[in-house]
């Protein structure tokens, strides 16, 4: 196995910084299942305040956070509406159906990552015993690195309110969206009943996500967290990393966005690469499948980690462990690869 020197596969690969490790080592802890871990309690209070919601819940992963949100909005036999390529529909192992007995209703995505408003509304089921009961609409922002406009989120919220539905945001990279938009996260999340925010992506914490929202929904989610095995004991060690991340690693996301754009512009010099210019920290590249296999092999051999999809698609993600030197090294390698072809 080749050693990865510069890891562009995801922003989940970050290592805790020295400052974050020191905060973790010094964390005051208790037993979070009993509700008396002071660091977890502080993190939950701080996140709820930042996002402008009643309450927050610290959970091990974004997958569990999304599942808890859906289980809080829905009962068995109910339904959620989400995009066909949304993470909570496509990439979370069908957990809502398997563990929550919740039926998904996927909607096709438009090229910009939105779902057609008329299609969303048409998918809402009437009150009829033949149908699953539609309970919640779920959006994802950022979506594949794209930032969905706030006006679009407001329009979906209006549909949800008009039909008496809940509204959930998979905001794993919500802070990336806020930095791009120049918007406070309280305003960004204002229309949602529940919001999932990941601490272990661009914010650099080693573990954890937050579910924030209405008090009754978070209370239900806390009960379901126990049921799903997500209750942790002296979790303050991990919560301290989250607190450090909120204090030190939000504004710096703009550096990741800058480097992603520089990376994309460098890759786009090669006509064989079809580069989608990034809005935040994710660069998508498409090419002929055979060419992609050769380029992926070359990158791997030289210690450059990228996420290679099928049919010649690549995903490059910048994060706090990717500096300008890593971008320079990657572009130099790609330049050499094409010069030798």
């Amino acid at each position: 196995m080749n050693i990865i020197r510069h890891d562009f596969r995801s922003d989940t690969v970050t290592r805790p910084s020295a400052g974050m490790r020191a905060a973790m080592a010094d964390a005051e802890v208790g037993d979070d299942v009993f509700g008396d871990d002071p660091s977890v309690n502080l993190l939950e209070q701080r996140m709820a305040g930042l996002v402008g919601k009643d309450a927050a819940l610290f959970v091990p992963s974004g997958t569990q956070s999304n599942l808890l949100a859906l289980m809080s909005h829905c009962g068995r036999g109910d339904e959620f509406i989400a995009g066909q390529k949304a993470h909570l529909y496509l990439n979370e192992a069908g957990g809502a159906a398997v563990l929550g007995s919740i039926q998904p209703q996927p909607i096709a995505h438009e090229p910009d990552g939105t779902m057609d408003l008329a299609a969303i509304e048409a998918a809402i089921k009437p009150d009829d015993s033949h149908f699953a009961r539609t309970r919640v609409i779920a959006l994802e922002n950022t979506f594949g690195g794209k930032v969905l406009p706030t006006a679009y989120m407001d329009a979906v919220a209006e549909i949800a309110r008009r039909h008496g539905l809940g509204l959930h945001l998979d905001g794993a990279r919500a802070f990336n969206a806020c930095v791009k938009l120049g918007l406070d996260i309280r305003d960004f999340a204002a229309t949602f009943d529940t919001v999932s925010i990941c601490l272990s992506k661009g914010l650099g914490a080693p573990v954890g996500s937050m579910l924030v929202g209405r008090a009754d929904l978070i209370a239900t989610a806390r009960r379901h967290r126990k049921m799903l095995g997500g209750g942790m004991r002296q979790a303050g060690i991990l919560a301290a990393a989250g607190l450090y991340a909120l204090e030190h690693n939000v504004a710096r996301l703009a550096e990741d966005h800058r480097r992603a754009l520089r990376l994309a512009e460098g890759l786009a010099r090669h006509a064989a690469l079809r580069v989608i210019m990034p809005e935040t920290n994710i660069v998508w590249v498409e090419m002929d499948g055979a060419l992609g296999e050769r380029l992926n092999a070359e990158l791997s051999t030289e210690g450059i980690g990228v996420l290679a999809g099928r049919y010649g698609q690549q995903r490059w993600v910048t994060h706090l462990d990717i500096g300008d030197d890593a971008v320079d090294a990657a572009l130099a390698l790609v330049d050499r690869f094409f010069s030798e072809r």
Side-chain angles (χ1 to χ4, degrees):
M1 182 176 179
N2 297 315
I3 296 174
I4 298 177
R5 295 183 295 112
H6 302 300
D7 200 344
F8 291 87
R9 291 175 299 168
S10 178
D11 43 11
T12 61
V13 302
T14 57
R15 269 68 166 181
S17 65
M20 183 178 284
R21 287 178 182 270
M24 295 169 72
D26 293 340
E28 190 177 357
V29 299
D31 188 317
D32 182 47
V33 176
F34 291 144
D36 61 13
D37 187 301
S39 296
V40 173
N41 292 342
L42 178 59
L43 175 62
E44 292 177 345
Q45 292 161 10
R46 187 161 297 172
M47 185 63 89
L50 274 175
V51 185
K53 302 301 182 187
D54 297 334
L57 181 66
F58 182 47
V59 300
S61 70
T63 294
Q64 187 173 103
S65 183
N66 281 328
L67 177 59
L68 290 171
L70 294 176
M71 291 177 68
S72 299
H73 284 282
C74 302
R76 293 184 60 176
D78 289 342
E79 175 183 88
F80 71 95
I81 293 174
Q84 202 158 35
K85 295 181 180 179
H87 197 279
L88 56 68
Y89 170 68
L90 184 63
N91 299 112
E92 296 182 3
V98 175
L99 302 174
S101 297
I102 305 166
Q103 173 174 287
Q105 172 59 70
I107 304 293
H109 285 282
E110 301 297 315
D112 64 356
T114 63
M115 297 175 284
D116 181 73
L117 296 174
I120 293 174
E121 192 149 21
I124 298 170
K125 305 298 187 291
D127 186 8
D128 185 310
S129 61
H130 292 86
F131 302 123
R133 296 175 297 183
T134 308
R135 292 299 195 197
V136 63
I137 302 171
L139 297 181
E140 183 176 335
N141 200 0
T142 63
F143 176 79
K146 296 184 176 74
V147 179
L148 306 188
T150 54
Y152 171 76
M153 296 195 298
D154 290 342
V156 176
E158 193 279 326
I159 293 173
R161 284 193 295 270
R162 185 153 33 86
H163 290 273
L165 304 180
L167 189 63
H168 172 65
L169 176 65
D170 178 357
R173 297 182 175 91
F175 281 106
N176 289 89
C178 291
V179 167
K180 173 65 176 179
L181 294 169
L183 196 63
D184 187 273
I185 196 163
R186 176 184 288 256
D187 299 322
F188 178 78
T191 59
F192 294 90
D193 299 294
T194 50
V195 182
S196 174
I197 299 174
C198 194
L199 299 171
S200 61
K201 290 189 169 71
L203 296 185
V207 174
S209 284
M210 305 296 299
L211 181 64
V212 295
R214 269 193 357 237
D216 60 318
L217 293 169
I218 298 303
T220 301
R222 190 176 295 275
R223 179 175 181 81
H224 286 314
R225 185 188 70 171
K226 178 64 176 175
M227 189 185 304
L228 294 172
M232 298 181 286
R233 299 296 179 175
Q234 286 70 44
I237 295 171
L238 300 174
L243 288 164
Y244 183 93
L246 292 176
E247 185 174 348
H248 295 89
N249 292 346
V250 174
R252 65 147 309 281
L253 292 171
E255 299 175 25
D256 300 338
H257 300 177
R258 175 183 63 80
R259 291 188 176 105
L261 181 59
R262 193 163 75 84
L263 174 68
E265 290 172 343
L267 293 171
R269 292 194 297 259
H270 304 285
L273 302 180
R274 298 180 294 278
V275 181
I276 299 173
M277 288 295 155
E279 295 181 22
T280 55
N281 68 321
I282 300 178
V283 180
W284 295 95
V285 183
E286 297 176 349
M287 68 201 81
D288 173 76
L291 174 64
E293 290 181 8
R294 294 195 298 273
L295 179 56
N296 292 335
E298 182 74 9
L299 292 168
S300 178
T301 298
E302 296 297 325
I304 306 293
V306 300
L307 196 64
R310 295 178 296 174
Y311 314 119
Q313 187 181 68
Q314 291 177 337
R315 188 185 79 166
W316 300 67
V317 184
T318 54
H319 49 78
L320 59 81
D321 286 349
I322 291 292
D324 290 327
D325 59 332
V327 174
D328 291 340
L331 291 177
L333 178 58
V334 173
D335 288 346
R336 190 182 75 195
F337 172 83
F338 281 102
S339 70
E340 294 175 351
R341 286 182 66 224

